[in-house]
Amino acid sequence: MSPLDTSLLILRVVAGITFMAHGVNHARNIEGTGRWFAKVGFRSAPMQARLSVLVELGAGVLLVVGLLTQLAAAGLVATMVVAGLAVHRFNGFFVFRPGEGFEYVNVLGWVGFVLAWLGAGKYSIDNLIGLVWPGTVGLLFGVGGIVAGIGQLLIFWRKPSPT
């Protein structure tokens, strides 16, 4: 067993389960999630909430099984960029600060970036079907996740005024 491939498997599964759990939490109260999206400044908040759940659940499952891993990792990156810039950066670094700081989304976002860059590794469906592009193409998936997150913010988010 290769230490790198085993590490990628562990990283994928942990990140995927974490991302899915977040999606399940949002899905349990989709109307409340939509209201929260509106509160933090998103236009089309109900749609944003549903898309968030779709990405969190879908990409989470894909990461766990190692299918379309680099695309799923880009979705993780994009989601963490959006969460980090729209909400958590205003609350400092530490997640235990009021309003939750950005440490959690920072770590999860970089995990996604690394998975996008390196791919799923040997222990994945991607490897079985030859769908792994480590290196420059993988790096582009990671950068694409950042660009997608920033694009979503530019189109749909406005910092809410203090109340």
Side-chain angles (χ1 to χ4, degrees):
M1 292 183 94
S2 155
L4 176 61
D5 291 315
T6 304
S7 297
L8 288 171
L9 172 64
I10 293 167
L11 204 57
R12 270 192 4 251
V13 170
V14 169
I17 289 171
T18 302
F19 208 30
M20 282 188 297
H22 207 78
V24 167
N25 188 53
H26 282 160
R28 283 187 178 150
N29 183 5
I30 195 68
E31 291 79 20
T33 300
R35 287 190 299 274
W36 180 83
F37 268 81
K39 179 182 171 189
V40 298
F42 281 91
R43 294 185 297 207
S44 304
M47 178 192 72
Q48 294 293 319
R50 284 174 174 72
L51 288 174
S52 175
V53 167
L54 180 66
V55 170
E56 290 164 354
L57 293 175
V61 168
L62 292 173
L63 287 169
V64 168
V65 300
L67 177 62
L68 301 173
T69 301
Q70 291 168 296
L71 181 62
L76 174 58
V77 170
T79 303
M80 295 304 108
V81 165
V82 169
L85 293 177
V87 179
H88 298 283
R89 71 180 166 121
F90 302 109
N91 304 317
F93 180 76
F94 295 106
V95 73
F96 55 79
R97 290 182 51 118
E100 299 179 353
F102 65 88
E103 71 176 311
Y104 167 79
V105 296
N106 181 52
V107 170
L108 205 52
W110 284 111
V111 165
F113 192 91
V114 167
L115 288 170
W117 195 350
L118 295 179
K122 182 178 178 182
Y123 311 118
S124 66
I125 295 172
D126 285 345
N127 184 59
L128 287 173
I129 62 176
L131 202 59
V132 179
W133 303 289
T136 304
V137 174
L139 180 61
L140 291 175
F141 275 100
V143 171
I146 294 170
V147 170
I150 291 170
Q152 180 181 358
L153 289 170
L154 290 173
I155 295 167
F156 292 103
W157 181 75
R158 301 295 175 266
K159 183 178 178 186
S161 58
T163 54

